Every structure is written in C-alpha cells, then in structure tokens.
Amino acid sequence: MSGSTLILVALAGIFLLLFLVIRTKLHAFVALLLVSLLVGIAAGMPLNEVITSIQNGMGGTLGFVAVVVGLGAMFGKMLEVSGGAERLAATMINKFGEDKATWALGITGFIVAIPVFFDVGFIILVPIVYGLARKTGKSLLHYGIPLLAGLAVTHSFIPPTPGPIAVAQLVNAELGWVILFGAIAGIPAMILAGPVFGRYIGKKIHLEIPDYMEMEEREYDKELPSFGMVTALILIPLVLILLNTVTGVLLEEGNTIRNIFTFLGHPFVALTIATLLTFYLLGTKRGYTRQEVQDIATKSLEPAGIIILVTGAGGVFKQVLIDSGVGEVLGDMMGDSALPPIVLAFLIATAVRVAQGSATVAMVTAAGLITPLLEMVGMTGPALGLIVIAIASGATVLSHVNDSGFWLVNRYFGMDVKDTLRSWTVMETIIGLTGFVVVLIISFFI
C-alpha cells in the first residue's frame, strides 16, 4: 500500500475516533479499540496480526501503567480519607497568612494533586475557598483560580498522575526527567495562572457562593495527620525517582550506589514504599483497622480502572499505527516538516484536546502519533521528558464545553458559560502555553 494511502487511512482513523467520542458519545476505551481494529484492517494488515498488535499494545502499556496508576490511586485515597489534604491547606494558609492565601492555595493544590485526582482534590478543598470568600467578601475566583491552577498543573505535568505516566510510557521517557521538567515548567505556570491571573479575574468577575452549594464542614472521626508527615509521604516517591535519574547520569554503570537507587527509584518500588507507609502512618497507626484500610484501597481502584483502560487502548492505537506501517509514513511526513518534534507534539495534542475535550485521550492520541517520529530521529533521554510535557501542555489548553472539568468548576462556582470561558478556560490556556514555552526554551540547550 502506498504511503499516501496509509496517510489517508491514519487521518480517517483519527477523524472516526473524534466522531465516535464527540457525536456518538461512545466511551473512549471502546472507541480507541474499534478505531485501532479498523485502521489495521484498512492498512492491509493480516487479521491475525491486527489481533496480535492489539494484545502487544495493551500488554506493553499496562504492564507499567496499571501498576503505577493503581498504587498512586491507593496512596491518594488514603491521603483523602485521612484528611491529609485539609491539613496541608490549613497549615499553608496559616503560614502565609490571609493576605497571601492565594499563594497558599496554589501551592497546596500543586502538592495535593500529586497523589490525589484533580476532581477529588478540588471537591475536598473547595470549602476552604468558600470560607475565605465569605470571610473577606472577595470573589470566589480570587481564591478558587489559584487552587485550580495548582491542582491542574500537577495533574497534567507531574507523575504519578495518570496523564504524564501514560505519555511517558508510550514515548519511552524516563519518569525522573518528566518529574524534573514538569516541576520546572509547572511552577511558573502555577504562579501565572494561579495567584497572578486569579487576582485579575477576581476583580473582573465577582462571584458569591451559590445557594445550592452551601456545604457543611467535613468532619473526621480521627485527628488530622501532621503537615510534616503528609508532605514527606508525598515527596518520598518523587525524590526516589529523581535520585534514580540523577545517579544514572552521574555514576558509572555497575556502581553499587547507582544499582541501589536504580532499584529504589523505579516507580514500582518507590510507589510501593510510599503506599505501604501511607497505609501504616495514615491508616493503622491512626486507628484504622486492617479491614478499613483494605476497603479504602479497594474503593480507590474504581476511578483508576477507567484511566488504566483508556491508557491501554491508547497503547493499542500506537502499536497498530507502528505495525501497519502507518507510523513510519507519519514519522517521515512529520520529519519533513520544518517544525521541531516538540512543537509538533504540542500542536497535535492541542488539536485533539480542542476537538474532543478529554485531556487523557488527547495525550494518548498525540503520543501514539508522535512516537514514530521520535524513533526515526533517535530522540532519547532528557529530550523525551520534554516531549511528554509538551504533549501535556497541548492537552491542557483551551478547555471548553466538551470537557468535564469545565462543568465541574462551572457548577461549584455558580458561573454561566461565558464567565467560565473567561476564567477557567483562560487559566487552563495560560498553564498550557507557559508549560510549552518553558520546555521549548529548555529544548534549545538539550
């Protein structure tokens, strides 16, 4: 089959995927599997090879992603149930003072979203935003936007959140580099989209607590955990993964210290250590029975399962593109472009994000399309970490009415669509553009 025909097959597959997700509301997992089947068949692959590609794509992706996302979900759920997120917020606001509460909320969101899913973190912490707005008379957006920015940045940029984990696996990027570049890009993105933009938009749009959202203060049957303990638990896996990357660069292969940190810093081991410590320090040591801890861990896997399956289906799509020959042709076509891979990665993710709304689908689709080019040009090491953040940035910008996050914020803050576009959509776009600009600048030196 000619290269131009394969390109048409790939484009038809992408448009079909968008149609199925947007128009028919078919679940992304099923849509990705169906499109992968059809692309493989249309590209002339033998039927048995199409099935083999699906198995290899799903297995190769989930062998890593399922473990990391599953452990991360348990870790985050234990933090949520124990009140660790509230402890972080309360301590940060006390440290910064009410005048600088926006900075405290931004940093709190940034830390909390490392182990806790975005929507869960927002729902847990939004009563604090309500309380500050009621006390000061300022707009909900003055405090809400910084919190949302902190949560959104980490959710998009820093593992072990599912998005960057999925993209890192699909493009074979080392997590240490992703964490490092995610933090470097995420901090300025959080500042600009959070406290800075929040102060501006809070003066333009004055929002009071919606009547239907008057919430009672959450009560916990046990005393909240300490700030130091919660922070340490969140940082343990990140530090171990980063030490693995650093020792891999600084020490020779075979060095004993490097071997130790290669083991301890593997995401499987680092997250297992953190999760077990969380079960003990936030669970059994604080009075939860073993059965209660087990029930909490089991409950955490319900939302994680959906993310794991969608990510696996993204791996299937990537594998079919590669095995059918479509990926090689796409790689050649993008390689002939005057645009560098990091820009192409951002633009592809942006296009899919705007078209169908889901950041996760945008990330896995962009990763699947860009991987053949990365393999063709031999991109490795730190450069792949930059590609992950570029894709995450593209999948963050321009959230609008086809994104569930848009409506979550719309309802909790009682806004109309126009004001949600002026606040939430602009905030997300600032995050994505800032993150992309930072990694683009870094790419000139790597």
Side-chain angles (χ1 to χ4, degrees), residues 23-111:
R23 301 293 298 177
T24 71
K25 304 299 180 184
L26 187 64
H27 194 281
F29 171 65
V30 179
L32 280 163
L33 287 180
L34 177 59
V35 169
S36 298
L37 276 170
L38 295 176
V39 167
I41 294 169
M45 292 178 68
L47 297 181
N48 64 319
E49 290 185 14
V50 175
I51 300 301
T52 301
S53 288
I54 290 175
Q55 290 176 333
N56 291 339
M58 182 67 75
T61 302
L62 294 191
F64 179 82
V65 171
V67 176
V68 175
V69 173
L71 286 169
M74 293 180 187
F75 180 19
K77 189 67 175 180
M78 200 71 233
L79 188 74
E80 173 197 341
V81 170
S82 68
E86 283 91 339
R87 171 61 73 196
L88 282 172
T91 303
M92 293 297 294
I93 290 172
N94 287 337
K95 294 283 186 184
F96 277 78
E98 198 172 280
D99 291 343
K100 296 181 180 178
T102 54
W103 290 87
L105 288 166
I107 295 170
T108 298
F110 192 92
I111 297 172

Side-chain angles (χ1 to χ4, degrees), residues 121-155:
F122 175 64
I123 292 168
I124 290 172
L125 296 175
V126 74
I128 297 173
V129 172
Y130 289 169
L132 287 167
R134 184 185 294 112
K135 185 176 181 180
T136 63
K138 293 182 178 179
S139 172
L140 282 176
L141 293 176
H142 181 81
Y143 299 106
I145 288 294
L147 173 62
L148 287 166
L151 291 166
V153 164
T154 310
H155 179 74

Side-chain angles (χ1 to χ4, degrees), residues 254-323:
N255 182 284
T256 303
I257 295 176
R258 174 175 171 173
N259 290 341
I260 291 171
F261 280 111
T262 297
F263 176 74
L264 293 177
H266 190 283
F268 290 0
V269 179
L271 278 167
T272 298
I273 292 171
T275 302
L276 289 174
L277 286 172
T278 303
F279 286 165
Y280 175 67
L281 295 174
L282 298 183
T284 53
K285 189 177 180 182
R286 302 183 63 249
Y288 289 95
T289 66
R290 292 178 182 177
Q291 185 60 50
E292 286 173 331
V293 172
Q294 185 181 46
D295 291 342
I296 291 168
T298 301
K299 187 73 174 176
S300 72
L301 295 178
E302 292 178 7
I306 297 172
I307 295 167
I308 289 169
L309 288 175
V310 171
T311 303
V316 168
F317 185 51
K318 177 193 106 170
Q319 195 64 43
V320 168
L321 287 178
I322 292 172
D323 292 347

